[in-house]
């Protein structure tokens, strides 16, 4: 086994994807006393210390606009990386979609979203990701809860938009209470698929269309 390794090749394995990122990473490693600007290789014994120094000094960014703010908020130097190393989404389509939706909702003034349906694990994940993204409050109408016409009117009065999560547990007699249109009701949008990312994508699209 080789007693050393190529620094640039290792940085690429760590997820860095461009020359600027490699240069920034090398500067971080040099500042930690692990290499110099001239050396192309590093002793194998230093690899774990190098990994710790690297990610203590840089934050990955996958290139998505919604993830850039999260990467910069770390206070570390921001470098382009693979999605798995992104400080914003960590490779998660759902989290990236949540950040995009949160950003669009802030710009459009969407503060409360009423979601009809959704399996319990999906609701929990959606609520957690939206809180993490700093987006609007999500309120859920569950399929096993009795809802009256007055309940539905009160729910709609508080919401900026109603999202019906298609294909998820919710009796039609319940969803129909929210689908009925009256003056002043918020927009009613059907999300065509069950995934959390699909829910957030539909919300983001609505918020962008709502922006002045």
């Amino acid at each position: 086994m080789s007693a050393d390794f190529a620094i640039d090749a290792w940085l690429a394995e760590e997820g860095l994807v461009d020359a600027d990122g490699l240069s920034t990473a090398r500067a971080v490693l040099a500042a930690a006393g692990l290499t110099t600007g001239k050396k192309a290789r590093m002793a194998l014994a230093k690899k774990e210390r190098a990994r710790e120094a690297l990610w203590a000094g840089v934050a990955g960014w996958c290139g998505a606009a919604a993830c850039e703010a999260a990467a910069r908020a770390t206070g570390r130097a921001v470098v382009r990386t693979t999605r798995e190393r992104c400080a914003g989404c960590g490779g998660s389509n759902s989290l990236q979609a949540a950040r995009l939706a949160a950003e669009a909702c802030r710009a459009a003034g969407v503060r409360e979203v009423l979601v009809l349906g959704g399996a319990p694990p999906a609701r929990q994940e959606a609520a957690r990701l939206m809180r993490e993204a700093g987006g609007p409050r999500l309120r859920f109408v569950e399929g096993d809860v009795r809802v009256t016409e007055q309940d539905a009117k009160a729910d709609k009065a508080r919401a900026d938009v109603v999202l019906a999560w298609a294909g998820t547990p919710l009796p039609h007699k319940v969803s129909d209470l929210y689908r009925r249109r009256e003056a002043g009701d918020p927009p009613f949008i059907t999300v065509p698929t069950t995934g959390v990312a699909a829910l957030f994508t539909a919300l983001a699209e609505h918020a962008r269309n709502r922006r002045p």
Side-chain angles (χ1 to χ4, degrees), residues 30-204:
L34 294 165
T35 186
T36 68
K38 297 180 180 179
K39 291 186 176 181
R41 303 184 72 82
M42 181 183 293
L44 192 61
K46 295 181 179 180
K47 181 177 278 191
E48 286 307 311
R49 283 188 291 151
R51 181 174 287 114
E52 291 176 5
L54 171 66
W55 296 112
V58 304
W61 173 45
C62 67
C67 295
E68 184 175 10
R72 297 200 181 283
T74 65
R76 304 193 294 271
V78 176
V79 296
R80 285 293 298 272
T81 62
T82 58
R83 290 189 65 217
E84 290 74 20
R85 284 293 191 181
C86 178
C89 67
S92 166
N93 289 332
S94 295
L95 179 54
Q96 188 173 88
R99 292 190 184 281
L100 288 169
E103 181 180 34
C105 286
R106 285 192 293 269
V110 175
R111 296 180 177 84
E112 183 147 336
V113 178
L114 184 65
V115 181
L116 309 181
R123 293 196 299 265
Q124 292 168 9
E125 182 185 11
R128 177 183 63 80
L129 291 175
M130 190 54 75
R131 284 195 303 269
E132 185 174 332
R137 179 189 178 199
L138 301 184
R139 289 194 303 111
F140 296 91
V141 176
E142 303 173 17
D144 56 355
V145 175
R146 183 176 179 273
V147 178
T148 68
E149 185 173 356
Q150 290 305 311
D151 292 332
K153 287 182 177 180
D155 286 340
K156 289 191 290 183
R158 292 193 296 269
D160 294 306
V161 60
V162 179
L163 300 179
W165 216 345
T168 53
L170 192 73
H172 287 301
K173 65 181 180 180
V174 174
S175 60
D176 285 347
L177 293 175
Y178 293 91
R179 191 174 282 108
R180 294 172 190 166
R181 310 305 299 151
E182 298 180 5
D185 278 355
F188 185 99
I189 297 169
T190 298
V191 182
T193 56
T194 59
V196 172
L199 180 76
F200 292 147
T201 298
L203 176 58

